[in-house]
Amino acid sequence: MTTTEDFDDFYRDTSRRLARYAYGLTGDPGDAQDLVQEAYARAWQRWRRLADYEDREAWLRLVVNRLSADRWRRIGVRRARTAAEPPPPPVPPPSENTVLLIRAMRSLPMVHRRALALHYLLDRSVAEIAHETGASVGTVKSWLSRGRAGLAAALGETPALATNGADDAN
């Protein structure tokens, strides 16, 4: 058997038991999966040495124990650090214009909202939006135009002010 096949067999034979063990230590399935994944990654790095061990699974449990203890230690340090720091200053509420814009954006179809966000918030060109969405350039221009018109209607503006075709040249 090759080294890879040996490790694969070892993983198949032990992974469920090790995951249950890690879950028992952490009480959280996500944390347990992270610990098990890290333990197997470390085992793979040392597999030539571990292959000669009499009880390789015991070595994995030891790694999970240490990783779990490190995790708890980091949580304790983080809590102590957080408790020692003053609370962050309160975040000011969004402006009335922001609230109105968000409400108007929510009234638009998702494709229009996405096109507007990509174009105006992330400065993507029409061609880049077309590539990302898999739509044609003409379709993206239509989404932007309809989105701007929908925003203008929702915000009570005249469409002539809200529609600026110069942006579509990108």
Side-chain angles (χ1 to χ4, degrees), residues 138-149:
T139 299
V140 172
K141 287 182 179 181
S142 171
W143 289 343
L144 288 170
S145 176
R146 291 177 183 174
R148 284 189 296 263

Side-chain angles (χ1 to χ4, degrees), residues 20-58:
R20 284 192 303 267
Y21 178 70
Y23 179 66
L25 291 177
T26 64
D28 180 83
D31 289 341
Q33 288 173 347
D34 290 345
L35 294 177
V36 169
Q37 181 178 358
E38 180 61 26
Y40 279 108
R42 292 179 184 194
W44 174 247
Q45 291 171 340
R46 296 163 179 79
W47 186 246
R48 290 189 194 277
R49 230 177 313 137
L50 285 175
D52 296 332
Y53 281 29
E54 189 174 320
D55 192 353
R56 294 173 279 192
E57 191 173 353

